[in-house]
Amino acid sequence: MKGVIYARYSSDNQREESIEGQLRECNEFAKKNGIQIIETYIDRALSAKTDNRPDFQRMIKDSESCNFEVVIVWKLDRFARNRYDSAHYKAMLRKNGAKVLSATERISDSAEGILLESLLEGMAEYYSAELAEKVVRGMTDNALKGKYNGGTLPIGYVIDSEKHFQLDPVTAPSVIHAFKRYAEGASMQEVTDELNLMGIRTKRGGKISINSVTSMLHNRKYIGEYKFRDVIQPGAIPAIVSVELFDKVQERMVANKKTPARHKAEEEYLLTTKLYCGKCQSFMVGESGHSQSKGTVHRYYKCITAKKHKTCDKKTVRKEWIEDLVIDYVRKILFDDELLETIAEKVVNVFGKENETLPLLRKQYDETQKAIDNLLYAIQQGILTPSTKQRMQELEQQKNELSAQIIKEEMAKPLITKEHILAFLERLRKLNTNKLEHRRRLIDTFINKVVLYDDGRIFIGCNYTDCSKEITFDELEEACENSSDFSETAGP
């Protein structure tokens, strides 16, 4: 794995050695667990109660490029002390394929924070899906009318003021030339070179490449066909080449097509950074291998110490077996109504207490309103001075500003009720455990740590500590009897 380190100290009382100590322990943690550090982010004399930290924001921005998979901190309070900010930024990192790890704490953030992360992510997905439906509806309507829906415009076309496709008299002839030359036997490279010699450029002004020509010769817009999702509109836009010429080109491309290289399929190991060796407490990481007889791919988890340093003799465990076992245990938790009620209440209580700004703003708003009421009462009693009007204007302006700040704070940190939490948990019950994304959601929401021993014991640490247990494989199989194929799955 590739990772980065985030270090911070919050006051002038702490010295540079504080940062050095954090970096040393984080680097030792990374080395032990096979994590390659590619960047270090440091904020000095800045509190984690605010997210206005330059290197912190730079790290969040850099995560968008998906160059690293983990963010290592000395302790979790180095990342954030505000529950909402912690959940918000961890959700952003997870969306970009990264997660936060503590070098000194073997447990994740609290149950409330993890559940809040998942809830915020779920709410964001809901609003995103709702917005996507509206966008797709509008784009489908455009497609039915043959209108431009955005994206890279094919060479040979321009868009008029009504968003309809029109032939570009400058570049359309070059499209016909490309189709004819390839149909006559020219190679892709020859067609590419000829278009570049003709001065044809991509819509971004770059030179034509073989990929550009391949895409051009496959594009059915050139025969007037407009496709968007399931909508196919023949003759919706002006055709540049005939159907006969287009089909002839497709036949030659199929004949010349080479067998693509076989890329090794990337398999996601859902318990990465969560599964620990019961002997040396190091991470267990994913590996795969082929059987010599049948060539079947076997995927499993192996202790990182045993893999890199050969100093641990922990047995490997089959990926499907351990992941199915953990998923079944999570589903057992999900169908405990009493436990979910307790979790929802605790999340709401913690979340409500941690927004310190909103109660303060509301208090200031009430005090300002009271001052306005007192001033109005004085005016009604005939107490009127030259400064009364000015003071009233100041109070009204202050009231409006506070009102705007309250609305902004409520929008940034929306009110989450017990009903929101329970509704979210109810949706988790309906997830399809055969889908990778759904399995990942269940594990990330509930599972904190899994420790695997060779003597038939397993410790499953949940984000909600009341669910954490150390049990035997036999007991776990009995506890997870709701799984239809659990008993058929071989052990490690």
Side-chain angles (χ1 to χ4, degrees):
M1 288 184 291
K2 291 183 179 180
V4 300
I5 294 174
Y6 176 72
R8 175 191 64 80
Y9 68 80
S10 57
S11 70
D12 295 329
N13 295 329
Q14 292 175 286
R15 298 175 295 174
E16 192 69 20
E17 287 84 347
S18 172
I19 290 290
E20 292 176 358
Q22 291 180 42
L23 295 179
R24 182 179 63 255
E25 294 200 43
C26 288
N27 276 302
E28 289 174 356
F29 175 84
K31 184 177 180 181
K32 178 181 179 182
N33 292 290
I35 300 171
Q36 178 189 353
I37 300 301
I38 62 173
E39 181 65 277
T40 299
Y41 302 88
I42 301 173
D43 282 314
R44 293 172 170 82
L46 291 170
S47 171
K49 290 183 179 179
T50 173
D51 60 354
N52 188 21
R53 291 169 271 156
D55 255 29
F56 180 83
Q57 291 296 339
R58 184 167 68 89
M59 175 185 71
I60 299 297
K61 180 67 176 176
D62 289 350
S63 73
E64 294 175 4
S65 62
C66 301
N67 289 332
F68 56 87
E69 300 161 83
V70 294
V71 175
I72 302 175
V73 293
W74 177 58
K75 286 188 176 181
L76 291 167
D77 64 4
R78 300 296 92 185
F79 185 78
R81 285 183 180 171
N82 176 287
R83 177 69 61 209
Y84 182 89
D85 286 344
S86 176
H88 174 67
Y89 286 108
K90 282 183 181 177
M92 288 180 65
L93 287 171
R94 187 166 61 247
K95 182 179 178 182
N96 296 332
K99 61 180 70 175
V100 180
L101 297 178
S102 169
T104 57
E105 298 162 314
R106 287 299 187 189
I107 57 172
S108 180
D109 214 339
S110 71
E112 298 79 25
I114 301 296
L115 193 57
L116 179 58
E117 282 181 49
S118 297
L119 176 63
L120 292 173
E121 190 178 58
M123 291 174 70
E125 286 180 2
Y126 169 78
Y127 288 120
S128 176
E130 186 179 41
L131 177 61
E133 287 179 4
K134 294 179 181 177
V135 171
V136 168
R137 194 180 306 125
M139 295 178 77
T140 301
D141 189 52
N142 278 348
L144 291 171
K145 297 175 181 177
K147 289 187 175 182
Y148 177 57
N149 259 330
T152 303
L153 194 63
I155 296 172
Y157 288 107
V158 292
I159 302 300
D160 63 19
S161 58
E162 300 293 325
K163 289 190 174 183
H164 287 107
F165 287 80
Q166 300 295 344
L167 298 182
D168 181 359
V170 177
T171 59
S174 65
V175 175
I176 300 173
H177 175 82
F179 272 87
K180 285 184 175 180
R181 288 288 292 127
Y182 189 80
E184 291 167 357
S187 67
M188 284 285 186
Q189 187 63 61
E190 288 173 337
V191 175
T192 301
D193 293 340
E194 290 174 12
L195 290 178
N196 280 314
L197 287 173
M198 293 167 65
I200 303 301
R201 294 292 181 263
T202 66
K203 290 297 181 178
R204 294 184 178 181
K207 285 189 174 183
I208 300 297
S209 65
I210 288 180
N211 288 338
S212 303
V213 174
T214 303
S215 177
M216 174 189 291
L217 298 181
H218 275 301
N219 197 335
R220 298 185 66 84
K221 281 189 174 70
Y222 291 122
I223 57 173
E225 182 178 291
Y226 193 158
K227 180 180 179 182
F228 175 73
R229 294 170 72 90
D230 296 330
V231 176
I232 300 177
Q233 288 284 90
I237 60 179
I240 294 181
V241 299
S242 66
V243 175
E244 292 75 20
L245 177 58
F246 185 87
D247 289 343
K248 187 176 181 180
V249 166
Q250 304 315 301
E251 290 173 4
R252 183 161 184 255
M253 290 179 75
V254 170
N256 291 341
K257 187 176 181 181
K258 297 179 180 179
T259 304
R262 292 185 178 180
H263 297 282
K264 182 180 178 181
E266 292 188 5
E267 182 77 16
E268 184 167 353
Y269 292 80
L270 299 176
L271 293 176
T272 300
T273 74
K274 294 179 184 289
L275 185 61
Y276 290 82
C277 168
K279 290 194 172 184
C280 67
Q281 294 299 308
S282 296
F283 283 138
M284 295 187 72
V285 296
E287 279 203 344
S288 64
H290 292 77
S291 62
Q292 294 182 354
S293 58
K294 298 182 180 180
T296 306
V297 178
H298 297 285
R299 297 181 176 87
Y300 51 91
Y301 287 93
K302 185 174 185 178
C303 172
I304 190 71
T305 305
K307 177 181 178 180
K308 288 185 172 292
H309 309 294
K310 313 298 182 184
T311 55
C312 180
D313 60 354
K314 175 75 181 74
K315 296 177 182 177
T316 59
V317 59
R318 196 157 64 85
K319 173 187 181 297
E320 293 80 4
W321 182 85
I322 187 63
E323 289 183 1
D324 285 347
L325 184 148
V326 172
I327 288 290
D328 286 340
Y329 189 75
V330 169
R331 287 185 59 78
K332 178 178 177 292
I333 296 171
L334 269 175
F335 284 89
D336 187 333
D337 293 334
E338 185 176 342
L339 178 59
L340 296 190
E341 285 275 344
T342 305
I343 293 175
E345 289 174 0
K346 195 168 184 179
V347 172
V348 171
N349 289 338
V350 171
F351 183 72
K353 290 177 183 177
E354 293 213 353
N355 192 333
E356 300 174 357
T357 306
L358 199 53
L360 181 61
L361 289 173
R362 286 174 175 160
K363 182 180 179 183
Q364 292 175 348
Y365 182 89
D366 292 340
E367 290 173 350
T368 303
Q369 183 61 57
K370 185 176 180 181
I372 292 174
D373 293 340
N374 290 339
L375 195 58
L376 287 172
Y377 179 77
I379 294 173
Q380 290 172 355
Q381 298 301 314
I383 303 174
L384 190 62
T385 65
S387 61
T388 302
K389 182 179 179 180
Q390 180 181 348
R391 179 57 181 158
M392 179 64 79
Q393 289 175 339
E394 291 174 352
L395 289 171
E396 288 290 350
Q397 182 179 353
Q398 183 177 333
K399 177 184 173 182
N400 291 335
E401 290 175 353
L402 287 168
S403 178
Q405 290 180 43
I406 290 171
I407 293 172
K408 185 178 179 181
E409 187 71 17
E410 288 175 339
M411 290 176 65
K413 302 180 180 180
L415 176 65
I416 294 180
T417 65
K418 180 180 176 181
E419 287 69 29
H420 284 139
I421 303 292
L422 291 175
F424 172 71
L425 294 172
E426 181 67 28
R427 289 206 304 273
L428 291 183
R429 288 180 172 180
K430 299 176 182 177
L431 293 183
N432 184 350
T433 55
N434 292 320
K435 292 185 177 180
L436 176 64
E437 180 60 37
H438 292 184
R439 291 167 69 87
R440 185 193 305 117
R441 170 63 64 81
L442 291 174
I443 288 177
D444 286 345
T445 301
F446 288 94
I447 299 302
N448 171 284
K449 179 180 183 180
V450 179
V451 185
L452 204 57
Y453 303 91
D454 279 346
D455 59 1
R457 291 180 299 126
I458 180 172
F459 171 78
I460 299 183
C462 298
N463 293 314
Y464 190 73
T465 53
D466 289 359
C467 304
S468 301
K469 287 185 180 180
E470 180 176 292
I471 49 182
T472 66
F473 295 137
D474 292 338
E475 290 172 337
L476 188 58
E477 180 177 346
E478 183 179 351
C480 300
E481 60 185 3
N482 289 332
S483 176
S484 61
D485 58 352
F486 182 84
S487 59
E488 300 174 5
T489 310

